[in-house]
Amino acid sequence: MRRLRDRLAGALLSALALTLTATGCAGSSDASSGAGSGAAAASAAEPVANRVEPLGQRPEPRLPVTVRSADGERVTVERAERIVPLSGSLSEIVFTLGLGDRVVARDVTATFEQAAKLPVVTRGHDVSAESVLSLKPDLVLAETTTGPEEAVDQIRAAGVPVLFVEAAGGLDDVGPRIRAVADALGVPAAGTELTRRSEQRIAAVRKDVPHGDKPRVAFLYLRGSASVYLIGGKDSGAGSLIEAAGAVDAGAASGLGKDFTAITSEALVKAAPDAILVMSKGLESVGGVDGLVKIPGVAQTPAGMDRRIVSVEDGVLLNYGPRTDQVLKSVVAQLYGEDGAK
């Protein structure tokens, strides 16, 4: 999620420039006000579980260990009794490894049930060094996109080990990120086991993806309250998931080389998506499916005409963590329906 926010930063300026022409498509904040057949199909699909599933046997960390951080530094971890993961995905990994009882805080994007009562150490989407240090952590886990840099520097200057993990960009990153976290926590065997479990479950879902003509799927980032309407391009982070679901990333295929581009009727018509992938809160923010099809250009696409919308909860859609198989399964179910028809 944090990498997604970084990708959105530049595109947001373009979107805001279109605010005056987009005010007619902000819609209601109530997704239930006019949800049509597309929304009904989405709600009927199996949702992603709001709990993580820890490994069967709780591992015991063997510390100290020295590992290489993704920012090039060598980090020595002597204790892992008070862990602060600074992204929802990293929190998910720690909990699924079976070490959730050692986590003392969370990032705002850690939305699964086991982490819900932990204190939040971000303001908006920026790390608060003061909040982190007040919890006396002995290890902080961060993404390479975690910021602001000054806050991370302040945490390190206080003597707290900070391990950076490469931000996720697709399904191929699931295993390496799990192993990086597990190695830093002194539980490499558990990391190998969780990687194997995650990859096997993803492979099982992919095996059942219907074959035939590949539907074109466009990933739209929506925030109706701010009149932000963006379409994902080549590096939006959704391409890997869309392709694993047996589909084509419509934005990338239409030539959108940027991460995100402000939605225009021309861009949507050129992308010609058969289905639209959105985050659930984004869909709610534009008034559900009825509000989505009022965004200029959406109603003219095959997806808009068929009201074919795929919606996944914001905190997990692009995490590429241990629940990725569930995300993929939900996307496939919504995209093809129970009978596998396109």
Side-chain angles (χ1 to χ4, degrees), residues 1-45:
M1 287 292 295
R2 192 176 296 279
R3 178 178 235 186
L4 172 62
R5 291 192 292 270
D6 285 352
R7 292 189 184 107
L8 293 169
L12 182 59
L13 297 177
S14 298
L16 293 177
L18 297 178
T19 298
L20 291 178
T21 61
T23 50
C25 52
S28 165
S29 61
D30 183 2
S32 64
S33 63
S37 59
S43 62

Side-chain angles (χ1 to χ4, degrees), residues 2 5 107-109 122-127 147-148:
R2 192 176 296 279
R5 291 192 292 270
D107 171 73
V108 69
T109 61
T122 48
R123 294 171 180 162
H125 294 302
D126 289 336
V127 177

Side-chain angles (χ1 to χ4, degrees), residues 82-159:
R82 300 182 62 79
I83 306 167
V84 176
L86 293 178
S87 79
S89 180
L90 294 176
S91 292
E92 186 176 323
I93 292 172
V94 177
F95 273 84
T96 310
L97 285 169
L99 300 176
D101 59 336
R102 296 167 179 252
V103 177
V104 296
R106 68 181 177 94
D107 171 73
V108 69
T109 61
T111 57
F112 56 94
E113 185 177 316
Q114 291 101 318
K117 294 182 180 180
L118 291 170
V120 176
V121 291
T122 48
R123 294 171 180 162
H125 294 302
D126 289 336
V127 177
S128 166
E130 293 81 6
S131 297
V132 171
L133 293 173
S134 71
L135 294 167
K136 303 186 184 311
D138 44 39
L139 176 63
V140 170
L141 300 172
E143 307 265 357
T144 48
T145 50
T146 295
E149 185 177 348
E150 295 79 8
V152 177
D153 289 343
Q154 185 177 343
I155 294 169
R156 270 186 166 164

